[in-house]
Amino acid sequence: MTDGCGRTIDYLRLSVTDRCNYRCRYCMPEEGVCKREHREMLTLEELAEVAAACVGCGVRKIRLTGGEPLVRRGIVELCRQLRAIPDLRELCLTTNGSLLPDLAAPLRAAGVDRLNISLDTLRPERFAQMTRLGQLSDVLEGIRAAEDAGFRDLKFDTVLIGGFNDDEIADFAALTRDHPWEMRFIELMPMGPCADWDRACFLSADTVLERLPELEQIESSGVARRYRLPGAAGTIGLISPVSHDFCADCRRIRVTADGKLKGCLHSAEELPLRGLHGAELEDAIRRGIAQKPARHHLSERKSDTPRNMNQIGG
Ligand code: SAM
Ligand code: SF4
């Protein structure tokens, strides 16, 4: 369906948990999530019901996210259920990759079409420092497991952070020479723990174009401007929510793990869906879509949401 601004809304980001086995410094506080009662969170049945209702309202693509979606017990069974929803065209998942060694093959068998793997650095010490709890070797093993399981055209999401990983832009890009992957650089958004970070941490994605003048522009895909190194097997994507906002073309809604529909990642507006079923649930979703905010205000000030990213679903 279309929202109040005439945008077609056909993409749901569904968060299945706010928990995570990592504590990336820009995303989560060191102590983790404030423990919420299990009963405050959507059950697997409720997640499937909300997903089906969103498809009933015109959603054709669902991306599961979190927190770390792969720490949610029952995730594979949930994927199987979602894949069986008639009219759903694409089921994707965004993960930090660490649990893929065990889960890539079952997720593929359950019908997950595509994976995005978040990877902010290729250097083991930096990786441990940024994720606080993670080891790069687990993610590298996860990537191999994803390829062995048959996931093709993997996409990697790298949050560009000035003074942390901007000296690795060429290293990430070099991976596209031999792999048919898309390496995507995403601007750090000022929210949650990083809202007050030094301005120098917030780089425009155009920094990548300055560092790699040999990049050739190719067709865009969704919100990503895309480029290729001459002769490379893979591509490079730039996602610029701050410097070139894509609000006018936004097709997304989000549902948080505690059952709130959000029309915009950066808005404080939330519409509770828990306890609603059937026509009531679909009516609420249609209302949420109709009221989707026209745009965010990241370029003028920080995000309006009081939630950290892991509590929304990136
Ligand atoms: N745990 C999974 C992962 O890391 O891929 C899924 C959830 S995570 C919140 C989704 C994405 O949001 C990750 O790629 C992460 O780097 C990104 N992210 C988190 N906080 C961000 C911020 N302040 N600005 C830009 N991206 C952010
Ligand atoms: Fe966890 Fe993903 Fe947030 Fe990192 S970015 S703390 S992996 S939810």
Side-chain angles (χ1 to χ4, degrees):
M1 70 174 271
T2 52
D3 72 359
C5 301
R7 295 170 293 194
T8 299
I9 305 302
D10 57 6
Y11 180 8
L12 166 67
R13 293 205 168 196
L14 179 59
S15 174
V16 299
T17 182
D18 60 352
R19 298 180 184 211
C20 188
N21 54 342
Y22 287 1
R23 299 281 183 275
C24 300
R25 289 173 189 273
Y26 51 80
C27 178
M28 278 181 88
E30 183 158 24
E31 63 276 15
V33 294
C34 49
K35 287 264 184 295
R36 310 269 306 266
E37 296 289 331
H38 270 298
R39 62 185 153 73
E40 289 180 70
M41 297 296 172
L42 295 182
T43 62
L44 293 177
E45 293 70 28
E46 287 171 327
L47 285 165
E49 190 181 4
V50 165
C54 287
V55 174
C57 296
V59 162
R60 294 292 172 265
K61 170 175 173 180
I62 296 179
R63 174 175 301 284
L64 299 180
T65 179
E68 172 49 45
L70 302 190
V71 305
R72 176 79 199 236
R73 215 170 290 154
I75 184 70
V76 173
E77 180 50 32
L78 177 67
C79 290
R80 196 171 294 121
Q81 283 182 34
L82 300 194
R83 203 65 204 84
I85 299 174
D87 293 334
L88 181 68
R89 292 205 196 109
E90 213 181 350
L91 179 63
C92 312
L93 190 142
T94 292
T95 173
N96 63 29
S98 60
L99 300 176
L100 285 175
D102 288 336
L103 287 173
L107 289 169
R108 186 70 185 161
V112 174
D113 296 297
R114 302 175 72 93
L115 289 180
N116 281 40
I117 300 174
S118 301
L119 184 56
D120 294 333
T121 171
L122 299 167
R123 305 198 188 170
E125 320 75 56
R126 283 187 184 178
F127 187 90
Q129 193 224 346
M130 180 53 81
T131 61
R132 291 191 180 110
L133 301 176
Q135 282 196 33
L136 180 62
S137 54
D138 293 338
V139 181
L140 299 181
E141 201 187 318
I143 295 167
R144 282 190 291 275
E147 294 212 298
D148 289 348
F151 285 104
R152 298 282 164 253
D153 307 325
L154 289 175
K155 290 185 182 171
F156 292 88
D157 292 329
T158 300
V159 179
L160 256 188
I161 305 172
F164 170 69
N165 61 5
D166 55 317
D167 57 347
E168 295 186 58
I169 290 174
D171 297 343
F172 278 110
L175 291 173
T176 66
R177 290 199 186 281
D178 295 329
H179 299 282
W181 296 340
E182 180 156 298
M183 310 304 301
R184 295 149 33 116
F185 294 98
I186 302 178
E187 290 174 356
L188 179 66
M189 296 180 277
M191 57 191 292
C194 69
D196 300 326
W197 283 11
D198 192 285
R199 295 311 306 163
C201 297
F202 295 85
L203 294 180
S204 161
D206 289 349
T207 309
V208 175
L209 302 179
E210 288 158 20
R211 304 280 174 90
L212 301 173
E214 64 273 39
L215 284 179
E216 297 166 349
Q217 187 153 20
I218 57 173
E219 75 287 356
S220 301
S221 161
V223 299
R225 291 177 283 152
R226 290 166 75 237
Y227 301 82
R228 195 186 286 279
L229 286 173
T235 56
I236 289 170
L238 303 187
I239 301 183
S240 322
V242 185
S243 67
H244 302 71
D245 81 58
F246 36 77
C247 302
D249 299 319
C250 184
R251 309 174 77 96
R252 304 169 184 180
I253 50 170
R254 294 166 192 270
V255 174
T256 62
D258 58 353
K260 307 284 177 8
L261 187 147
K262 287 180 71 72
C264 174
L265 173 60
H266 297 292
S267 162
E269 286 165 36
E270 301 183 345
L271 202 150
L273 300 179
R274 279 211 86 180
L276 302 178
H277 305 280
E280 255 186 359
L281 178 57
E282 284 205 16
D283 283 350
I285 293 166
R286 286 182 206 284
R287 215 165 47 247
I289 292 176
Q291 294 166 1
K292 179 175 161 74
R295 55 178 296 243
H296 63 63
H297 304 280
L298 280 185
S299 57
E300 296 134 51
R301 53 175 198 273
K302 59 183 190 177
S303 181
D304 295 320
T305 180
R307 290 175 181 252
N308 293 340
M309 190 67 125
N310 69 296
Q311 299 167 313
I312 304 173

